[in-house]
Amino acid sequence: MFEKRVLGLLSILVLLTPGCTNSPNPGAPEPSEPPADPPLPFTNSWSAEPDIDLFSRGAELVRASIEAGIHASFFSVSESFPGYSDAIGYQHVNYNEIADTVARGRPRGGWISDLTYLYHIAEITETPTSIIAEVCDEPVTVDPYISDHRVKHGFSWIVALTNTGGAAGLPGVVDTDPDGSDPRARRVPDWNVFGAWNITQLRTGGRDASTAIAHPACTEWWLERHPGSEVLGNYTFSPAGEIPGEPRLPQYPEWIGPSETQ
């Protein structure tokens, strides 16, 4: 919730008195402060295949799509990234291609796990008017826990965007420090990263939802993190038992910007 600046009675009297203002333009509205950055108990940490630029405009839009969707699933579409609701066509969403939880937003309230969402871009194709990518995820909790059944390490996402010629949106500033935090950074960007880009696919299951087979690069990424895992349908699983926790990683890349004047 944004703070409201309340003027004292004396200040109001001064503003209403002719000749008693230091403002060069008394009729101009005061500059608004940016919304407060939400204190979130989870972070997002991204990587990509060696031939993929994590900071290309296409990869940035893919990152924004998934992060905005996850944020919406926790808090609601209206509280997600600026421009996200328009990008998914809310309220008239294609639920076959946009996952229900990221399209409707289901405010869950209460406690959100202390964790890191790991994401890995397995493949991406970019043109001036379209972007399509496959992304693997893995949520990793800080605290260990016991599971009485095998645990799937993550899911394979398909993300697609199109732009028919509208404003391309403003890119962010490249985050050059994976381990640090830029004082300008925000967890939820305060500008519209999407511009006129429309999100046409944002769901799990990979390119072919009927088979839901993960991209092979996802399998390799999970196996690198969990050697010797069981593999089914290109997804990897840990056996039942204790699932170890991992320290929460810094947000990377951070949302800094935009890199151009709005």
Side-chain angles (χ1 to χ4, degrees):
M1 182 176 293
F2 306 136
E3 293 185 1
K4 293 184 178 179
R5 191 174 299 170
V6 181
L7 297 176
L9 177 61
L10 179 59
S11 299
I12 295 174
L13 291 174
V14 169
L15 288 173
L16 294 177
T17 303
C20 293
T21 176
N22 293 323
S23 172
N25 184 1
E30 291 191 28
S32 59
E33 295 182 357
D37 218 17
L40 302 176
F42 63 88
T43 55
N44 306 287
S45 181
W46 287 81
S47 60
E49 287 294 287
D51 60 336
I52 295 174
D53 179 4
L54 195 58
F55 295 97
S56 73
R57 182 62 176 138
E60 180 181 51
L61 287 164
V62 168
R63 289 190 281 111
S65 299
I66 287 187
E67 288 194 26
I70 295 300
H71 196 89
S73 76
F74 280 120
F75 300 105
S76 80
V77 171
S78 62
E79 293 186 34
S80 190
F81 287 22
Y84 175 70
S85 60
D86 290 336
I88 63 170
Y90 186 81
Q91 298 176 347
H92 307 289
V93 180
N94 178 358
Y95 290 106
N96 291 324
E97 297 297 349
I98 308 292
D100 181 81
T101 54
V102 307
R104 297 182 191 275
R106 294 177 175 173
R108 303 170 187 179
W111 182 72
I112 302 173
S113 298
D114 187 0
L115 53 77
T116 305
Y117 283 108
L118 301 177
Y119 295 107
H120 185 76
I121 302 179
E123 182 178 329
I124 187 169
T125 303
E126 303 179 47
T127 75
T129 58
S130 69
I131 300 160
I132 187 166
E134 290 196 63
V135 178
C136 342
D137 76 2
E138 184 179 350
V140 181
T141 60
V142 170
D143 298 320
Y145 64 94
I146 303 294
S147 176
D148 58 3
H149 54 79
R150 68 187 181 194
V151 175
K152 190 175 189 177
H153 293 132
F155 289 90
S156 176
W157 289 78
I158 184 75
V159 185
L161 302 97
T162 60
N163 189 332
T164 57
L170 297 174
V173 175
V174 173
D175 182 0
T176 59
D177 185 2
D179 301 314
S181 180
D182 191 297
R184 302 168 295 172
R186 301 183 61 84
R187 286 301 308 278
V188 174
D190 56 1
W191 79 98
N192 184 346
V193 179
F194 301 101
W197 284 92
N198 297 312
I199 301 171
T200 56
Q201 290 181 308
L202 182 57
R203 57 168 175 76
T204 56
R207 291 180 190 251
D208 188 348
S210 64
T211 58
I213 295 176
H215 192 286
C218 292
T219 312
E220 293 303 316
W221 180 65
W222 288 315
L223 286 174
E224 183 179 342
R225 285 186 39 77
H226 307 279
S229 298
E230 181 181 8
V231 180
L232 295 171
N234 279 7
Y235 292 96
T236 64
F237 299 79
S238 288
E242 181 174 356
I243 306 301
E246 298 181 25
R248 182 152 52 98
L249 296 175
Q251 172 75 20
Y252 180 75
E254 294 183 292
W255 294 104
I256 311 168
S259 61
E260 302 173 27
T261 303
Q262 287 181 295

